[in-house]
């Protein structure tokens, strides 16, 4: 109902605004027709006739414009009356529709109330039935639960007895396995101890034999080194030119040899200058010196230090 009243007020306000706008509207004032005369002076009678005709046309035009304005005003007034009439009819229709809808709403609420009361009674009856059914179901459920509990207790007791039996059997089995494993580990430990002892004795024996072989080999290498040092000294002595001034004097040399005994380098490490010069000259004259084909012996001979002391 409130929305209808608002719409009616807005429609009336629109009509009032239209009327005000129409009232303020003025047709433009008719413009008197301007007549341009021929520069040449016409005859007096003809000129008066032309002015009279033009004035009549102007007045006729003004009258036509006034009629058109009046017609427009009448048409606008009629349009406004029609709008007001249609607005009034629409208002009456809305009011009638509102009354009809209000009546329908009242009827709907009455039916809903009756329906709600019927549903409430039906619900109450269903609740009573549900309570009775729930009581019966609860009693049946309690009975089934009691039976199930008794059955579960019996099964649990049986399962516990079987579990205890299995646990005892498992304990005995594990104890037997543990004892067997302990004996096996002890036997394995004893076997490994004996094996380790044997391996240790074997390693010690092998080490002793290797040490003996190394000692023999070292003695052999030392003997060979001394032998070839003597040979090298003999070769140098063969080329050494002695002088009385060298008596009681000596020189230390460093000699480097190739794998075939070739002298690759010789230098003095200190001593009498005359003896050192003669000794280095003797080495260079020899060109090659005796070396052993044995690798270990050669390794000790390829870079040797010798002391040269002339013998008189």
């Amino acid at each position: 109902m409130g929305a209808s009243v608002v719409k009616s007020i807005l429609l009336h306000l629109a009509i009032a605004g239209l009327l005000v706008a129409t009232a303020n509207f003025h047709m433009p004032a008719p413009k008197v027709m301007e007549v341009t005369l021929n520069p040449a002076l016409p005859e007096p009678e003809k000129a008066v006739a032309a002015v009279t005709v033009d004035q009549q046309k102007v007045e006729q035009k003004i009258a036509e414009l006034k009629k058109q304005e009046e017609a427009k005003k009448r048409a606008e007034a009629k349009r406004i009356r029609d709008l007001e009439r249609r607005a009034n009819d629409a208002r009456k229709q809305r009011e009638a529709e509102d009354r009809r809808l209000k009546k329908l709403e009242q009827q709907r609420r009455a039916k809903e109330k009756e329906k709600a009361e019927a549903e409430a009674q039906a619900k109450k009856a269903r609740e009573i039935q549900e309570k009775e059914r729930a009581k019966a179901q609860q009693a049946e459920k309690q009975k089934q639960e009691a039976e199930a509990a008794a059955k579960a207790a019996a099964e649990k007791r049986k399962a516990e007895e079987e579990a205890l039996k299995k646990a005892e059997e498992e304990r005995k089995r594990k104890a037997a396995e543990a004892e067997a494993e302990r004996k096996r580990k002890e036997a394995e430990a004893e076997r490994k101890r004996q094996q380790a002892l044997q391996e240790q004795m074997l390693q010690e024996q092998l080490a002793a034999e290797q040490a003996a072989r190394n000692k023999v080999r070292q003695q052999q290498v030392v003997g060979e080194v001394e032998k070839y040092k003597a040979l090298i000294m003999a070769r140098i002595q063969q080329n050494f030119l002695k002088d009385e001034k060298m008596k009681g004097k000596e020189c230390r040399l460093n000699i480097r040899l190739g794998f075939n005994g070739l002298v690759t380098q010789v230098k003095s490490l200190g001593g009498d200058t005359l003896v050192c010069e003669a000794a280095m000259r003797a080495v260079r004259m020899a060109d090659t010196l005796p070396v052993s084909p044995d690798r270990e012996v050669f390794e000790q001979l390829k870079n040797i230090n010798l002391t040269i002391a002339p013998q008189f």
Side-chain angles (χ1 to χ4, degrees):
M1 186 65 183
S4 301
V5 172
V6 173
K7 290 182 180 178
S8 178
I9 292 170
L10 291 175
L11 180 59
H12 280 79
L13 288 175
I15 293 169
L18 183 61
L19 288 172
V20 171
T22 307
N24 292 332
F25 177 75
H26 296 286
M27 290 293 291
K31 197 173 184 181
V32 178
M33 184 180 296
E34 296 180 359
V35 179
T36 304
L37 300 178
N38 195 329
L41 294 175
E43 294 179 1
E45 295 181 359
K46 291 181 179 180
V48 172
V51 171
T52 301
V53 171
D54 290 341
Q55 186 63 32
Q56 289 176 352
K57 288 181 178 179
V58 170
E59 291 175 355
Q60 184 180 358
K61 184 66 174 177
I62 292 171
E64 289 177 357
L65 292 173
K66 287 182 178 181
K67 287 180 182 180
Q68 291 175 1
E69 180 66 18
E70 290 296 327
K72 287 182 179 179
K73 288 181 178 180
R74 287 194 297 274
E76 183 63 22
K78 183 177 180 300
R79 188 179 69 81
I80 291 172
R81 288 195 299 274
D82 290 340
L83 288 174
E84 289 177 344
R85 179 179 55 78
R86 288 199 295 270
N88 191 36
D89 292 342
R91 181 180 58 76
K92 289 179 179 179
Q93 289 177 0
R94 285 194 301 274
E95 290 175 352
E97 181 66 17
D98 289 341
R99 288 193 296 272
R100 186 181 70 82
L101 292 174
K102 186 176 181 181
K103 185 177 180 182
L104 290 174
E105 180 65 18
Q106 290 174 351
Q107 293 175 354
R108 184 186 66 78
R109 289 180 179 177
K111 288 182 180 180
E112 286 182 351
K113 183 178 180 182
E114 292 176 359
K115 182 181 178 182
E117 289 175 353
E119 288 179 350
Q121 292 176 357
K123 182 179 179 181
K124 188 175 181 181
R126 286 196 302 271
E127 287 176 351
I128 293 171
Q129 291 178 355
E130 288 294 331
K131 286 180 180 178
E132 294 297 328
R133 187 183 300 110
K135 286 180 181 179
Q137 290 177 351
Q138 182 66 20
E140 181 64 23
K141 182 179 179 182
Q142 289 176 353
K143 178 184 176 183
Q144 292 176 356
E145 287 178 350
E147 292 175 352
K151 184 179 179 181
E155 291 178 351
K156 182 179 180 182
R157 190 166 53 253
K158 183 179 179 182
E160 288 176 351
E161 291 174 355
E162 291 179 353
L164 288 173
K165 183 178 179 181
K166 288 182 178 179
E168 181 62 19
E169 291 175 354
E170 182 68 13
R171 185 189 66 77
K172 290 179 179 179
R173 185 185 65 79
K174 287 184 176 179
E177 289 180 352
E179 181 64 18
E181 181 67 13
R182 184 185 65 78
K183 290 180 179 179
R184 186 190 65 79
K185 286 182 177 180
E186 287 180 355
E188 180 67 15
E190 180 61 22
R191 184 187 66 79
K192 288 182 178 180
R193 190 181 69 80
Q194 292 294 335
Q195 183 179 359
L197 184 60
Q198 291 177 2
E199 289 179 355
Q200 182 181 359
M201 292 174 63
L202 180 61
Q203 291 294 332
E204 290 175 354
Q205 183 179 355
L206 291 174
E209 292 177 356
Q210 184 64 37
R213 286 196 296 270
N214 290 341
K215 185 177 180 180
V216 171
R217 175 61 180 165
Q218 187 63 30
Q219 291 175 351
Q220 291 175 349
V221 170
V222 170
E224 286 292 305
V225 169
E226 293 301 321
K227 170 186 172 183
Y228 279 91
K229 279 185 177 181
L231 292 173
I232 291 171
M233 287 291 291
R235 179 69 60 85
I236 294 171
Q237 291 292 341
Q238 289 177 0
N239 298 316
F240 188 83
L241 298 177
K242 295 185 287 186
D243 190 316
E244 289 292 334
K245 297 177 181 180
M246 300 177 185
K247 192 172 182 179
K249 298 178 181 180
E250 63 183 17
C251 176
R252 295 185 68 251
L253 295 181
N254 173 257
I255 303 172
R256 293 191 179 185
L257 303 174
F259 70 94
N260 57 354
L262 179 67
V263 177
T264 60
Q265 178 181 315
V266 58
K267 63 180 179 179
S268 171
L269 298 178
D272 182 73
T273 302
L274 187 62
V275 175
C276 288
E277 288 177 354
M280 287 191 292
R281 186 167 50 252
V283 171
R284 292 190 186 100
M285 289 177 62
D287 189 29
T288 60
L289 297 174
V291 291
S292 173
D294 189 313
R295 182 76 176 179
E296 290 185 34
V297 177
F298 172 72
E299 287 297 321
Q300 296 188 39
L301 291 173
K302 66 180 182 181
N303 185 5
I304 61 173
N305 297 326
L306 298 174
T307 301
I308 308 299
Q311 298 296 323
F312 290 91

